[in-house]
Amino acid sequence: MAPLRILLAEDHVLMRAGLRLLVEQMQDVSVVGEAGDGLEALRLAHAHHPDIAVLDIAMSGMNGLDLAERLRQELPDIRVIMLSMHATDSYIQRALRAGARGYLLKDAAPVELTLAISAVARGETYLSPAIASQLVQRVVQNPAAAQSGVAVLTPRQRDILRLIAEGLTTQAIANRPQISVKTVEG
């Protein structure tokens, strides 16, 4: 099997070097390009056609959110993992709407990068546990606040959301309630 091809886009050189070291420790994964800004990342994506692009949200030239949208339109086979220090709903929602399949906080443990890449490579969605937990708390513990702007969840949807917050993969969740992976992803 060919190695998983990763593009890294991060404007801080030291952070990008650390990401590269973490990715290169993974088996069957290779970094095919590194970019310091969004425009360079877009050019490298067209040149190298990576499987996954790990994008910083805040970059010059073109931010990661706009880049994710462009990749979704121009190179839809590339899966995007957003890397950010922002855990606010507006950033998370915008990233997911732009096509990101993962959202990883910069203060996450290094192993989370591996988990995110592996999950997204399998076609699953990955949210940092802190984000998933925050979402679950808001929806389950404060239903009135969750109803303003967010559809009311069924009990099964709440259970699935709780399992996501606990860090289970889409496949593991689908095996528990005996439903399909597509249903969990929906």
Side-chain angles (χ1 to χ4, degrees):
M1 185 167 122
L4 193 62
R5 301 163 44 83
I6 307 290
L7 170 66
L8 301 174
E10 162 65 54
D11 59 342
H12 293 94
V13 176
L14 188 59
M15 179 74 172
R16 194 169 63 241
L19 288 170
R20 182 182 192 99
L21 287 173
L22 290 171
V23 169
E24 288 178 340
Q25 290 176 1
M26 295 177 67
Q27 287 187 339
D28 298 322
V29 177
S30 67
V31 176
V32 296
E34 292 182 46
D37 65 60
L39 293 173
E40 181 183 8
L42 183 60
R43 183 185 61 76
L44 289 173
H46 278 281
H48 298 289
H49 299 279
D51 300 300
I52 295 175
V54 179
L55 311 178
D56 182 17
I57 277 188
M59 292 185 293
S60 63
M62 179 187 308
N63 68 47
L65 296 167
D66 292 339
L67 176 56
E69 179 68 31
R70 291 278 302 268
L71 290 175
R72 185 171 61 90
Q73 293 170 358
E74 298 173 20
L75 298 163
D77 291 337
I78 297 175
R79 296 175 181 157
V80 171
I81 297 173
M82 200 58 66
L83 185 62
S84 178
M85 61 184 191
H86 303 288
T88 61
D89 287 349
S90 60
Y91 280 104
I92 297 162
Q93 289 174 10
R94 195 162 163 224
L96 296 174
R97 282 187 195 117
R101 297 297 307 260
Y103 196 98
L104 188 63
L105 295 174
K106 285 187 176 182
D107 65 356
V111 70
E112 275 197 61
L113 179 62
T114 301
L115 294 171
I117 289 172
S118 297
V120 169
R122 290 189 304 268
E124 299 171 1
T125 300
Y126 183 89
L127 298 176
S128 282
I131 292 170
S133 178
Q134 172 184 311
L135 181 59
V136 168
Q137 285 179 355
R138 193 171 44 262
V139 171
V140 175
Q141 294 177 356
N142 192 356
Q147 289 177 16
S148 61
V150 178
V152 177
L153 299 177
T154 66
R156 180 177 220 144
Q157 289 169 328
R158 277 191 224 114
D159 288 340
I160 291 171
L161 192 56
R162 180 183 49 76
L163 294 171
I164 291 169
E166 291 174 5
L168 273 70
T169 65
T170 303
Q171 186 62 52
I173 294 169
N175 290 340
R176 274 187 135 169
Q178 300 301 319
I179 59 174
S180 74
V181 171
K182 291 287 185 194
T183 300
V184 175
E185 288 174 350

